Amino acid sequence: MVQPNFCSADNETIVENNGLLKVKGNRIVNQYGNPISLAGNSLFWSNDGWGGERYYSSRVVSWLKIDWNTSIIRAAMGVEDPGGYLSNRATNQERVKIIVESAIDLGIYVIIDWHSHHAEDYTDEAIIFFQEMATTYGHSKNVIYEIYNEPLDVSWSETVKPYALKVISAVRSIDPDNLIIVGSPEWSQRVDLVAEDPITSFENIAYSLHFYTVHHQKWLRDRASIALKKGIALFVTEWGSIGYQTVDAETDLWMSWCANNMISHCNWAVNDKTEEWSILVPAASTSGHWTDDELTKSGQLAKNIIKNWNK
Ligand code: MG
């Protein structure tokens, strides 16, 4: 049996093996042009005092890589809500940097997520933030920018897309090549609207698709399949199982769909808050080394999927 994630001087990391990710047609591909599907975790909102920020540590990222075989981690930087970037830039940005630098050290991919529901209201702030990130990390093959977590019930063509074009243009003036992921209306579910009017003036743009199995089933997979057929590339930057149980038939259907379409995914969320999607039980260690007893049922389910994902 192959030891997942066994790492020695002879074993290259997933980023060394696959290099900079690119969009090719409706697929994310590695440096050789081969489709790649990654599996990993999203951290919870980074906001001061919300609880999830306690897990923004290198030891957590390291443990997820070693014990879960996580190949991608998402830093979900809260923006406009209390305790977020707009009220405390230094603390939130520092948390993101800890995660990015840990991922680079460990050789896994990392998503820098502008975790906002109203990003079009703070376009200037997003540009400043992402230009700083691009300046600091744009040379790194590990880094992916996610410039709008979940737009609400707003227009794709009139609101989200114009915002995205401004931020992408600002990033591309510094970093010409790293992957950029864009959300879509209705909590990043309206990939059908994106497919009708995709961003064509920049390369290496993918679109997020979020699913929570309690809410989103075959109808969303069918919508996403049509969007793929129309030629856009998708990236599941958040997903959640039905929660509180280690078996979820709908999760199995979704994971088969991701595997068949070579789509990467990050499980929501590394946190100990009492809610169905947290992977950790309350007061679980903030430095990893979790026993199975410290994982929730949905955490155990997610671990089983991520650890055995080998696409
Ligand atoms: Mg670059």
Side-chain angles (χ1 to χ4, degrees):
M1 183 172 159
V2 176
Q3 287 249 358
N5 252 347
F6 178 74
C7 219
S8 71
D10 298 329
N11 275 13
E12 293 192 330
T13 66
I14 190 151
V15 173
E16 285 170 330
N17 279 329
N18 291 283
L20 196 64
L21 303 182
K22 300 262 185 192
V23 173
K24 182 177 166 188
N26 64 357
R27 292 286 187 265
I28 311 291
V29 301
N30 66 10
Q31 61 188 335
Y32 306 111
N34 299 321
I36 182 170
S37 170
L38 306 165
N41 308 81
S42 178
L43 290 152
F44 193 72
W45 301 71
S46 67
N47 304 48
D48 298 353
W50 286 26
E53 77 277 19
R54 295 172 299 131
Y55 294 97
Y56 278 72
S57 82
S58 59
R59 284 187 288 187
V60 165
V61 183
S62 176
W63 182 250
L64 288 168
K65 186 196 173 197
I66 292 165
D67 194 49
W68 289 48
N69 207 24
T70 287
S71 56
I72 183 166
I73 186 88
R74 178 179 186 245
M77 192 187 72
V79 178
E80 69 269 13
D81 293 282
Y85 176 78
L86 297 185
S87 58
N88 197 341
R89 295 182 184 211
T91 56
N92 285 278
Q93 189 156 318
E94 184 57 27
R95 288 177 193 123
V96 170
K97 292 177 86 163
I98 285 169
I99 298 304
V100 174
E101 286 165 23
S102 301
I104 292 170
D105 287 345
L106 293 161
I108 67 172
Y109 291 96
V110 59
I111 297 175
I112 301 174
D113 162 35
W114 187 253
H115 206 73
S116 172
H117 291 302
H118 303 279
E120 67 275 10
D121 295 339
Y122 312 102
T123 305
D124 292 345
E125 289 84 350
I127 286 171
I128 290 167
F129 172 76
F130 280 107
Q131 286 199 317
E132 279 190 54
M133 293 295 105
T135 301
T136 311
Y137 301 118
H139 60 282
S140 167
K141 295 171 181 173
N142 311 64
V143 170
I144 299 164
Y145 311 102
E146 183 178 3
I147 62 172
Y148 196 156
N149 167 45
E150 289 183 350
L152 300 180
D153 187 15
V154 294
S155 165
W156 161 254
S157 293
E158 303 300 322
T159 302
V160 182
K161 186 179 177 185
Y163 160 86
L165 289 172
K166 286 179 203 158
V167 178
I168 292 167
S169 177
V171 171
R172 285 288 181 254
S173 71
I174 295 167
D175 177 359
D177 53 5
N178 282 53
L179 184 65
I180 298 177
I181 301 174
V182 183
S184 63
E186 297 173 29
W187 301 274
S188 292
Q189 266 117 53
R190 294 306 302 272
V191 290
D192 54 326
L193 300 176
V194 176
E196 295 293 332
D197 182 21
I199 291 166
T200 55
S201 47
F202 294 96
E203 295 190 334
N204 292 326
I205 309 298
Y207 303 93
S208 55
L209 175 72
H210 290 180
F211 70 84
Y212 289 83
T213 62
V214 67
H215 301 301
H216 311 114
Q217 298 95 26
K218 182 175 184 296
W219 61 269
L220 186 58
R221 286 191 294 278
D222 289 348
R223 178 189 287 174
S225 294
I226 292 168
L228 287 170
K229 283 201 182 83
K230 289 188 174 172
I232 65 171
L234 300 178
F235 206 116
V236 174
T237 57
E238 279 185 25
W239 70 273
S241 60
I242 203 163
Y244 305 127
Q245 53 193 60
T246 51
V247 177
D248 177 357
E250 198 62 39
T251 291
D252 290 344
L253 293 170
W254 270 109
M255 287 301 146
S256 295
W257 183 86
C258 287
N260 291 337
N261 291 293
M262 290 301 283
I263 288 177
S264 300
H265 48 85
C266 296
N267 177 252
W268 181 267
V270 181
N271 197 15
D272 67 343
K273 180 183 174 186
T274 305
E275 68 175 11
E276 56 266 53
W277 303 299
S278 295
I279 65 166
L280 301 169
V281 299
S285 164
T286 55
S287 50
H289 295 272
W290 305 306
T291 63
D292 277 354
D293 289 343
E294 289 180 283
L295 302 180
T296 61
K297 298 287 188 192
S298 48
Q300 291 172 31
L301 184 155
K303 179 180 175 181
N304 189 43
I305 290 167
I306 294 167
K307 190 166 183 127
N308 296 301
W309 197 262
N310 201 1
K311 310 294 179 223

